[in-house]
């Protein structure tokens, strides 16, 4: 089984004109953490938003389940309307639900996503209950049973959730599992560069990222130099899986670089592209597929989700 750990969020998505980016003081194409007041302000400025269960690792878990993989999700929600909506979405998708309810009243996390005509998504995230995930919230049995534990970098901010990651990774290793992490966003890497490096060196087998996140992690001047740096500094990592946007992806494994072209599609909304790419690749790992076949699933999955609005595609996956 693959166990995904991350922020439990509900996404609110709307399409806007480019001029709205400056008007609302948005950080285009990035994820920005916001407080509850800012979140509510942004929601008031969204016309006819679409609400869907989201969160990076939850999106990945969802798509693995749709591909036919065995997967579960661990996260934290509030006992409110958003939390109930999130949990219902998990159950409807067929994955194993290990979410827990908080005792405080922080509200389930919500991400306000603004989509510009170029398909870029600008995310403004109020983490709510999700950021308070702790060691005590972990479903230990599921982690012990996991072949792969997949963790999203977005959850690295709070000491309690960071501790939960470290504990889960150690537990998974002790029981023979593999650990994977998504670097999630340049914002996360800039904040936690050194602790990310330490975690990768000590406990991680698979690193998922895009080239901007990789360059931020390594502080190199080019992606090519970052690949060289990564191979030298992180020799214990089994695979680096790095997406290059429209240029496809590169996978480093056993000292070799494998390059793959992106699957052509019409870009409508880039929300979830990295999450679905990771899901396709993780599914390939679970099924013991080759790097080529796993990358094919990954690229097709990313192309599938960005061809329509939201992270729960309606069209059939081919």
């Amino acid at each position: 089984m693959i166990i995904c750990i991350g922020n439990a969020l509900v996404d609110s998505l709307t399409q806007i004109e480019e001029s709205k980016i400056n008007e609302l003081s948005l950080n285009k194409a990035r994820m920005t953490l916001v407080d509850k007041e800012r979140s509510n302000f942004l929601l008031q400025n969204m016309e006819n938003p679409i609400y869907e269960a989201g969160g990076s690792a939850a999106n990945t878990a969802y798509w693995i389940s749709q591909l036919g993989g065995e997967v579960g999700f661990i996260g934290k929600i509030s006992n409110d309307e958003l939390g109930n909506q999130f949990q219902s979405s998990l159950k409807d998708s067929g994955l194993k639900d290990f979410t827990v309810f908080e005792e405080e009243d922080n509200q389930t996390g919500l991400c306000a996503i603004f989509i510009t005509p170029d398909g870029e998504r600008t995310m403004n995230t109020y983490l709510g209950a999700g950021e308070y995930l702790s060691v005590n919230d972990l479903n230990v049995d599921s982690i012990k049973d996991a072949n792969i534990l997949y963790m999203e970098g977005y959850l690295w901010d709070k000491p309690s959730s960071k501790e939960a990651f470290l504990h889960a990774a150690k537990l998974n290793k002790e029981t023979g599992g593999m650990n994977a992490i998504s670097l999630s966003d340049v914002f996360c890497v800039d904040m936690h560069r050194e602790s990310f490096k330490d975690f990768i060196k000590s406990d991680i087998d698979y690193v998922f990222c895009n080239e901007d996140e990789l360059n931020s992690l390594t502080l190199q001047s080019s992606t090519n130099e970052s690949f060289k740096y990564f191979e030298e500094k992180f020799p214990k990592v089994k695979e680096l899986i790095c997406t290059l946007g429209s240029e496809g992806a590169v996978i480093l494994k056993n000292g070799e670089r494998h390059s793959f072209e992106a699957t052509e599609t019409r870009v409508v909304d880039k929300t979830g592209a990295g999450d679905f790419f990771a899901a396709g690749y993780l599914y390939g790992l679970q099924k013991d597929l080759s790097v080529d076949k796993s990358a094919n699933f990954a690229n097709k999955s990313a192309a599938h989700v960005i061809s329509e609005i939201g992270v729960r595609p309606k069209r059939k996956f081919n």
Side-chain angles (χ1 to χ4, degrees), residues 1-5 70-72 74 96 98 138-150 167-179 286:
M1 182 189 293
I2 298 171
I3 293 295
C4 300
I5 305 179
E70 186 181 5
V71 61
I74 297 174
K96 296 185 184 299
F98 300 115
L138 298 174
N139 186 293
V140 172
D141 289 339
S142 70
I143 294 170
K144 287 182 177 179
D145 290 340
N147 303 108
I148 300 174
L149 179 69
Y150 177 77
H167 181 78
K170 294 290 185 188
L171 182 61
N172 187 46
K173 278 286 189 179
E174 289 170 0
T175 51
M178 300 289 183
N179 291 324
Q286 186 175 60

Side-chain angles (χ1 to χ4, degrees), residues 4 34 83 103-104 110-111 134 162 178 201 215 231-232 271 297 304 307 317:
C4 300
V34 299
E103 294 180 358
E104 296 80 13
L110 190 139
C111 183
S134 69
K162 179 180 177 180
M178 300 289 183
K201 287 177 180 177
N215 291 336
E231 289 175 308
E232 178 185 343
T271 307
F297 265 111
H304 185 63
S307 66
F317 178 70

Side-chain angles (χ1 to χ4, degrees), residues 236-252:
K236 293 183 180 179
V237 173
K238 293 183 180 297
E239 296 183 33
L240 169 69
I241 303 98
C242 181
T243 57
L244 309 174
S246 61
E247 299 300 313
V250 170
I251 294 164
L252 300 185

Side-chain angles (χ1 to χ4, degrees), residues 13 21 27-31 113-116 118-123 154 184-185 210 213 269-275:
L13 305 99
I21 293 291
N27 187 14
K28 185 178 177 181
R30 297 295 185 198
M31 191 284 291
I113 302 175
F114 295 87
I115 306 157
T116 40
D118 57 1
E120 286 290 358
R121 83 284 185 271
T122 298
M123 301 183 293
Y154 285 132
S184 293
D185 194 278
N210 62 34
E213 293 155 6
D269 171 15
K270 293 183 181 180
T271 307
D275 304 335

Side-chain angles (χ1 to χ4, degrees), residues 56-188:
S56 179
N59 291 339
T60 296
Y62 164 80
W63 192 241
I64 292 171
S65 72
Q66 300 310 293
L67 292 173
E70 186 181 5
V71 61
F73 174 77
I74 297 174
K76 198 166 193 174
I77 57 178
S78 293
N79 189 13
D80 55 16
E81 184 176 348
L82 290 174
N84 293 331
Q85 181 180 346
F86 179 87
Q87 200 164 46
S88 293
S89 175
L90 290 191
K91 292 177 180 177
D92 291 344
S93 67
L95 58 81
K96 296 185 184 299
D97 174 21
F98 300 115
T99 52
V100 295
F101 289 103
E102 63 160 351
E103 294 180 358
E104 296 80 13
D105 188 23
N106 291 303
Q107 176 188 309
T108 296
L110 190 139
C111 183
I113 302 175
F114 295 87
I115 306 157
T116 40
D118 57 1
E120 286 290 358
R121 83 284 185 271
T122 298
M123 301 183 293
N124 300 268
T125 307
Y126 170 62
L127 295 174
E131 67 176 328
Y132 295 98
L133 188 78
S134 69
V135 170
N136 294 332
D137 299 320
L138 298 174
N139 186 293
V140 172
D141 289 339
S142 70
I143 294 170
K144 287 182 177 179
D145 290 340
N147 303 108
I148 300 174
L149 179 69
Y150 177 77
M151 298 163 280
E152 68 170 77
Y154 285 132
L155 204 56
W156 198 251
D157 287 317
K158 286 285 184 183
S160 63
S161 53
K162 179 180 177 180
E163 184 184 2
F165 268 17
L166 294 170
H167 181 78
K170 294 290 185 188
L171 182 61
N172 187 46
K173 278 286 189 179
E174 289 170 0
T175 51
M178 300 289 183
N179 291 324
I181 190 171
S182 164
L183 297 185
S184 293
D185 194 278
V186 171
F187 169 82
C188 295

